[in-house]
Amino acid sequence: MKPIQSFYLLIFALLSYNSVSAQYGNGYNNGYGNGYGRGSGMGMDRSMMQGPQSTPSKPKEVPAEETAAKIVEQMKPEVNLDELQAIAITNVLADSMREQGVLLKNESSSQDQKIEQMNALREVTTKKITAFLNPGQVEKYTAFMANFKEIKKPKSKKKKDKDSKETKEVKEDTEAIKPAE
């Protein structure tokens, strides 16, 4: 009986050693018992492995200069701007957008006050821009801005308009096909 007990004891010891060595790194500097304490190998906290905690972040704000440059690039061919006018108008638009951001973030103003301030800012910006334009360009600028406001309308309206246009086109197509049959 003695040899069988010692055999079982040996098997148990080997299996235990294998389990323990697997947990504690198995000599390959991984695991959480390799002498470097907490924070290395597989014994790390899950939060340590992820790096900095990611909080739901708001979308990155595009710099005012970049947005103004895009608007002026669209405006250039339609209003026939030269390079000097384009640079000056880009600067005016960038300043205006920065001021808009400040006005929108101002929590001490009510919604009505913000709307009034935005309208006043828009008028001032328009006056500054038209000061750089000749009379023919001013007309083209007002047409461009009216067109630009239509582009900026909410997407839901555009989608509804697009859907209604598509249904009208389908109806027209089906009406055109019916008499031909």
Side-chain angles (χ1 to χ4, degrees):
M1 188 79 180
K2 196 87 156 147
I4 292 176
Q5 284 179 341
S6 58
F7 178 72
Y8 283 130
L9 186 60
L10 181 65
I11 299 276
F12 178 75
L14 286 174
L15 291 175
S16 297
Y17 175 76
N18 192 22
S19 173
V20 168
S21 67
Q23 256 185 4
Y24 284 98
N26 211 13
Y28 294 111
N29 280 341
N30 54 3
Y32 53 81
N34 59 7
Y36 294 107
R38 186 174 173 192
S40 61
M42 297 305 288
M44 289 173 53
D45 259 354
R46 295 277 182 225
S47 63
M48 294 172 78
M49 289 181 2
Q50 293 174 353
Q53 293 293 325
S54 59
T55 57
S57 61
K58 48 187 171 178
K60 292 181 181 177
E61 291 183 21
V62 179
E65 293 83 9
E66 197 173 307
T67 307
K70 287 180 183 178
I71 293 171
V72 171
E73 284 301 314
Q74 292 176 355
M75 187 188 304
K76 240 184 196 182
E78 291 189 35
V79 185
N80 299 328
L81 298 177
D82 62 28
E83 286 303 312
L84 187 61
Q85 288 174 323
I87 292 169
I89 291 172
T90 302
N91 291 336
V92 169
L93 284 174
D95 290 342
S96 174
M97 288 179 192
R98 279 189 226 105
E99 288 181 43
Q100 276 183 351
V102 170
L103 290 176
L104 290 174
K105 291 177 184 174
N106 185 3
E107 295 180 9
S108 64
S109 301
S110 69
Q111 193 69 22
D112 293 334
Q113 288 174 332
K114 286 182 183 179
I115 291 171
E116 288 175 22
Q117 291 170 340
M118 295 291 274
N119 288 335
L121 179 62
R122 189 176 300 121
E123 288 176 20
V124 169
T125 304
T126 303
K127 286 180 184 177
K128 286 180 182 178
I129 290 174
T130 54
F132 294 114
L133 304 175
N134 62 38
Q137 287 176 321
V138 171
E139 292 174 16
K140 292 177 183 177
Y141 170 74
T142 53
F144 171 80
M145 288 311 287
N147 210 9
F148 191 71
K149 287 177 186 175
E150 286 181 23
I151 292 171
K152 287 179 70 174
K153 282 187 181 178
K155 291 181 181 179
S156 60
K157 265 190 173 181
K158 282 185 180 179
K159 187 175 181 181
K160 288 178 185 176
D161 292 343
K162 186 178 179 182
D163 290 343
S164 63
K165 286 180 185 177
E166 287 176 359
T167 54
K168 285 180 186 177
E169 289 174 2
V170 170
K171 286 180 184 177
E172 289 173 1
D173 289 344
T174 55
E175 289 173 6
I177 294 171
K178 283 182 183 177
E181 291 175 353

